[in-house]
């Protein structure tokens, strides 16, 4: 992979692996994880942003040409880590990938001249456009399940509307809460349950669309006024954040227990949950006494900082963990330590946007024990 930006101050060769011992000391159901290997994915081109991974460790996101050219959806295969650009739809010069399943089917968005539209990419068929809902002129595909079903949003004069697309049925409007005029799907599981957000007369709400066509309002944490659902696993557990006068608070919702506050790291007062795997491990970002930090949360251990002395020796701070697979691999964003300190501890937490502009460094953490 290309060398990272000079500001990161890490002497790396291509695909350098660094072992971080005792990064997380939690008893997991598959054994005790006491170390991660860390793969530096950063490049001199700030447009290279991996944002999602599958259970094999393949990554997708977007990248720009080294010469400052067009930005395109990109696949990094776990065997070589060499970037493979997926191109764009006919008439377009921009694309970005937001999701990948274990068959390496990919969902994302590409422009087609003056419009941004969702796509599905398959290795044997290339990039294909996903139709929009009637009357709409743009949209994005945010998630794909093992069957190649894609969830996202379609948008036009009537605002954004969540959709689920399958090859056999086509695109389906998932609808909004009663009185709402906006919705956006974020993640679909293998049962075609979809997590996302819908407007309502009482503000935005995290919602779950069931595979029978119902929409469930997941509510908010006590005292809050709105909520956003970001991810769902195959057990139907949903994560995201609840928002109110005190800021953002990460939540885990389950059918049996409702919405649970995941808290924050010591000294912090805000957090966001951004992904959950089928083991129930949650990752995200939390404020703390020393600034924003990437976290992992487990039922056994609660919330743990993904930074320690070893990561500090790399000259970086992991500020956000935004994807985790069933092997426990975690995709994190990092910032150079001087750059973080220069921020004066100001929080980076804000409304989440898939593949938003990233800090200078991206890392893949892979557990070395118990998997």
């Amino acid at each position: 992979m290309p060398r990272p930006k000079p500001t990161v101050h890490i002497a790396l060769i291509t695909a350098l692996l660094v072992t971080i011992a005792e990064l997380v000391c939690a008893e997991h159901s598959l054994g005790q994880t006491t170390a991660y290997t860390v793969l530096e994915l950063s490049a001199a081109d700030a447009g290279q942003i991996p944002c999602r991974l599958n259970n094999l460790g393949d990554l997708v996101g977007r990248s720009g040409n080294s010469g400052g050219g067009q930005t395109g959806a990109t696949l990094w295969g776990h065997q070589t880590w060499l970037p493979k650009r997926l191109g764009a739809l006919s008439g377009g010069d921009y694309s970005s990938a937001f999701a990948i399943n274990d068959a390496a089917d990919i969902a994302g968005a590409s422009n087609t001249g003056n419009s941004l539209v969702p796509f599905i990419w398959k290795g044997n068929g290339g990039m294909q456009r996903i139709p929009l809902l009637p009357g709409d002129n743009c949209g994005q595909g945010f998630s794909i399940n093992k069957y190649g079903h894609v969830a996202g949003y379609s948008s036009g004069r009537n605002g954004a509307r969540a959709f689920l697309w399958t090859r056999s049925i086509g695109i389906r409007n998932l609808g909004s809460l009663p009185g709402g005029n906006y919705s956006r799907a974020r993640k679909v599981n293998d049962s075609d349950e979809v997590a996302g957000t819908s407007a309502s007369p009482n503000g935005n709400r995290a919602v779950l669309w069931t595979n029978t066509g119902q929409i469930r309002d997941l509510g908010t944490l006590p005292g809050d006024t709105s909520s956003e659902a970001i991810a769902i696993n195959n057990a139907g557990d949903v994560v995201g954040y609840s928002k109110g006068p005190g800021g953002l608070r990460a939540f885990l919702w389950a059918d049996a227990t409702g919405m649970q506050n995941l808290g924050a790291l010591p000294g912090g007062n805000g957090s966001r949950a951004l992904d959950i795997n089928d083991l129930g491990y949650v990752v995200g970002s939390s404020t703390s006494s020393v600034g924003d930090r990437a976290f992992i949360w487990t039922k056994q251990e609660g919330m743990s900082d993904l930074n320690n002395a070893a990561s500090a020796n790399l000259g970086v701070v992991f500020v956000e963990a935004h994807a985790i697979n069933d092997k426990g691999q975690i995709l994190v964003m990092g910032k150079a330590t001087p750059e973080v300190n220069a921020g004066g501890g100001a929080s980076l937490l804000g409304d989440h946007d898939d593949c938003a502009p990233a800090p200078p460094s991206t890392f893949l953490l892979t557990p070395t024990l118990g998997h």
Side-chain angles (χ1 to χ4, degrees):
M1 301 290 290
R3 291 178 63 87
K5 287 185 175 182
T7 56
V8 181
H9 302 301
I10 306 176
L12 290 174
I13 62 174
T14 300
L16 174 65
L17 290 176
V18 181
T19 299
I20 294 185
E22 299 178 353
L23 186 61
V24 173
C25 296
E27 186 69 28
H28 294 261
S29 60
L30 297 180
Q32 185 170 3
T33 298
T34 59
Y36 285 89
T37 57
V38 180
L39 174 65
E40 164 65 45
L41 301 168
S42 306
D45 181 359
Q48 180 161 304
I49 305 175
C51 66
R52 289 291 169 184
L53 73 162
N54 63 14
N55 290 319
L56 302 177
D58 302 319
L59 305 169
V60 292
R62 67 175 182 261
S63 65
N65 291 331
S66 59
Q70 301 167 348
T71 297
T74 303
L75 166 66
W76 292 266
H78 70 279
Q79 295 179 330
T80 66
W81 304 112
L82 295 175
K84 177 179 180 178
R85 289 169 61 87
L86 308 183
L89 292 170
S90 178
D93 59 2
Y94 167 88
S95 61
S96 184
F98 298 131
I100 180 172
N101 64 16
D102 292 348
D105 301 329
I106 296 168
S110 170
N111 70 349
T112 56
N114 59 359
S115 182
L116 191 67
V117 298
F119 72 75
I120 181 172
W121 182 94
K122 298 175 73 71
N124 59 0
M127 187 176 293
Q128 301 173 32
R129 177 172 177 168
I130 292 176
L132 298 168
L133 292 170
D136 289 347
N137 57 13
C138 68
Q140 300 188 69
F142 283 140
S143 178
I144 188 168
N145 68 13
K146 72 177 184 179
Y147 302 108
H149 302 169
V150 176
Y153 77 91
S154 177
S155 182
R157 292 182 178 179
N158 296 322
R161 297 180 288 173
F163 74 76
L164 178 64
W165 175 88
T166 67
R167 195 172 298 277
S168 60
I169 298 176
I171 191 167
R172 175 163 61 93
N173 183 359
L174 294 177
S176 303
L177 290 170
N181 58 3
Y182 160 92
S183 61
R184 180 174 293 197
R186 288 287 190 180
K187 192 78 173 285
V188 58
N189 67 15
D190 292 338
S191 299
D192 281 346
E193 297 174 312
V194 180
T197 305
S198 171
S200 80
N202 297 317
N204 285 351
R205 289 288 186 270
V207 295
L208 170 65
W209 288 277
T210 69
N211 54 17
T212 59
Q214 298 174 316
I215 180 172
R216 297 186 62 176
D217 184 346
L218 305 186
T220 67
L221 292 173
D224 287 349
T225 56
S226 65
S227 57
E228 303 270 345
I230 302 298
I232 185 172
N233 65 11
N234 282 320
D237 302 326
V238 178
V239 297
Y241 50 91
S242 183
K243 187 175 183 179
L248 306 181
R249 297 186 288 172
F251 75 75
L252 166 64
W253 180 94
D255 186 49
T257 59
M259 187 175 287
Q260 172 187 355
N261 183 0
L262 298 186
L265 292 171
N269 58 7
S271 57
R272 297 181 307 179
L274 300 178
D275 202 11
I276 181 171
N277 68 10
D278 286 345
L279 298 176
Y281 304 163
V282 181
V283 295
S285 183
S286 172
T287 59
S288 74
S289 58
V290 289
D292 285 1
R293 295 294 185 267
F295 75 76
I296 183 170
W297 180 95
T298 68
K299 183 177 180 180
Q300 297 82 3
E301 299 293 328
M303 187 178 292
S304 302
D305 192 340
L306 281 170
N307 291 273
N308 76 343
S311 59
N313 289 339
L314 291 175
V316 298
V317 171
F318 302 144
V319 296
E320 178 182 292
H322 55 274
I324 182 170
N325 65 14
D326 290 345
K327 291 182 178 179
Q329 292 179 299
I330 304 170
L331 194 59
V332 301
M333 294 181 186
K335 280 201 169 186
T337 302
E339 187 175 340
V340 172
N341 294 340
S347 174
L348 300 172
L349 291 180
D351 290 344
H352 180 67
D353 187 17
D354 289 75
C355 282
S361 307
T362 306
F363 301 86
L364 179 65
L365 311 185
T366 299
T368 59
L369 299 178
H371 292 270

